[in-house]
Amino acid sequence: MACDPPPGAPIAISDALTAPSGDALLPTLLAQTPRGAAWRTDEVADGDHNSYQHRFWRAVADPLADLYAKLWKLALASTACTLSGPEDAANDALADWEREFGLPDPCLAGVTQTVERRKLLLRMRIAAKGGQSIAYFVCLAATLGYEIAISESRPFRCGQGRCGKTQIGGPNNEVIWRVYVTSPTVTWFRAGAGRVGRDPLGGFGRKRDLECLLDKWKPAHTQIKFHYRYTGAPPPPFA
C-alpha cells in the first residue's frame, strides 16, 4: 500500500531584501535624497562619500537593514509552510501554530522533538484529510515509523457465515478491529542480566505512542485490539 509522502520542506523564497546589509541599502537611500551641491549629495561634490548627508544616511542604513530582516522573518512566520529556522522569534511563532492545531500531540509526550521535526508534524497536521478506512490508519501509523496490518471482524450470521471457516463471535464483533504490529521490539532473557522468577524468557515493548494515536483518531464507536507479532504475517480478515 502506498502512502502519500509527508509534506516536504517549502521552497526557499528569499531575495535581495531578505537580509540586506547597510551598504546594500545605502545607494537606494541616497537616491531618494535631494540632489545638488547645496546638499552635497551629487557625485562631484561628494566624491569622497564623506559629507554630513552621506554619513547621516549611512548611519540610518544599518538599522533599516535590521528592520528589513525582522519584517522578512515576520512574513515567514505568518504561514505554517514558511516558518523559518531555529531563531527565537521563529520558535515563538511555531509554538503559536502548534497551539492552533492541537500540537504537540499528547501521544508523543516524552519524545524529544527537534524544531525541524515539529515543523514537519505541523505541516502534516494541516495537510491531514482524515479518514476511517484501513488504508488511512495504516498510513497514519507510518507517520510514526510503524508498519501495521489491520483486520476487521463481524459476528457469525446464518446464510452468510460458513461453519469451519467463519469464527463465531458476539454482536460486539462489529465494532472491534485488530491492529497487528509486524515489527515489535523484542527483548530476551539473558544470563547474567536477567533474574529467574522476575524477568520473562521473552517479551516485547508496547508501542504506547502508536496505541495512543490510533485510539485518538479511531471511529468513536469502535474498539481496537492490538497484537504484537514477532514474525509472520497477520491472519486474513475474518469473513
Side-chain angles (χ1 to χ4, degrees):
M1 181 187 310
C3 299
D4 294 333
I11 299 174
I13 48 174
S14 59
D15 56 26
L17 294 180
T18 298
S21 64
D23 289 333
L25 290 181
L26 184 58
T28 301
L29 289 175
L30 292 177
Q32 310 307 314
T33 60
R35 310 299 296 167
W39 296 93
R40 295 201 63 190
T41 55
D42 60 285
E43 291 77 7
V44 177
D46 194 22
D48 56 358
H49 301 295
N50 197 38
S51 67
Y52 288 110
Q53 280 273 21
H54 188 101
R55 284 182 288 172
F56 171 80
W57 290 112
R58 179 65 185 79
V60 170
D62 283 336
L64 187 59
D66 292 339
L67 178 61
Y68 265 105
K70 292 178 179 178
L71 290 175
W72 175 251
K73 291 178 182 178
L74 183 61
L76 292 179
S78 65
T79 64
C81 65
T82 57
L83 285 170
S84 56
E87 296 86 359
D88 290 340
N91 281 336
D92 289 343
L94 177 57
D96 291 339
W97 277 100
E98 287 176 326
R99 283 192 295 270
E100 184 72 18
F101 285 89
L103 294 171
D105 198 307
C107 293
L108 303 179
V111 179
T112 302
Q113 299 285 356
T114 64
V115 172
E116 290 304 318
R117 175 64 177 171
R118 289 168 59 195
K119 292 185 333 188
L120 174 61
L121 292 175
L122 173 63
R123 294 197 299 271
M124 291 173 62
R125 177 63 59 85
I126 294 175
K129 299 178 181 179
Q132 296 186 1
S133 66
I134 289 179
Y136 169 73
F137 288 101
V138 169
C139 292
L140 184 62
T143 64
L144 298 180
Y146 295 117
E147 181 181 350
I148 67 170
I150 295 175
S151 69
E152 298 175 289
S153 58
R154 67 187 184 194
F156 186 93
R157 289 188 175 91
C158 293
Q160 295 181 0
R162 294 176 57 187
C163 293
K165 179 179 179 181
T166 306
Q167 296 193 19
I168 299 177
N172 287 339
N173 270 16
E174 288 185 320
V175 298
I176 294 175
W177 47 292
R178 293 169 172 80
V179 172
Y180 299 90
V181 184
T182 58
S183 300
T185 303
V186 179
T187 57
W188 303 106
F189 184 94
R190 286 180 169 80
R195 290 179 57 185
V196 177
R198 186 193 70 173
D199 300 322
L201 296 179
F204 59 86
R206 293 176 61 183
K207 308 302 183 182
R208 302 288 183 179
D209 53 346
L210 174 64
E211 293 185 17
C212 176
L213 188 67
L214 296 187
D215 276 327
K216 179 179 179 180
W217 295 105
K218 68 178 178 63
H221 67 285
T222 65
Q223 302 175 21
I224 305 178
K225 292 186 181 296
F226 290 90
H227 299 262
Y228 292 87
R229 302 175 63 86
Y230 180 54
T231 56
F238 297 130

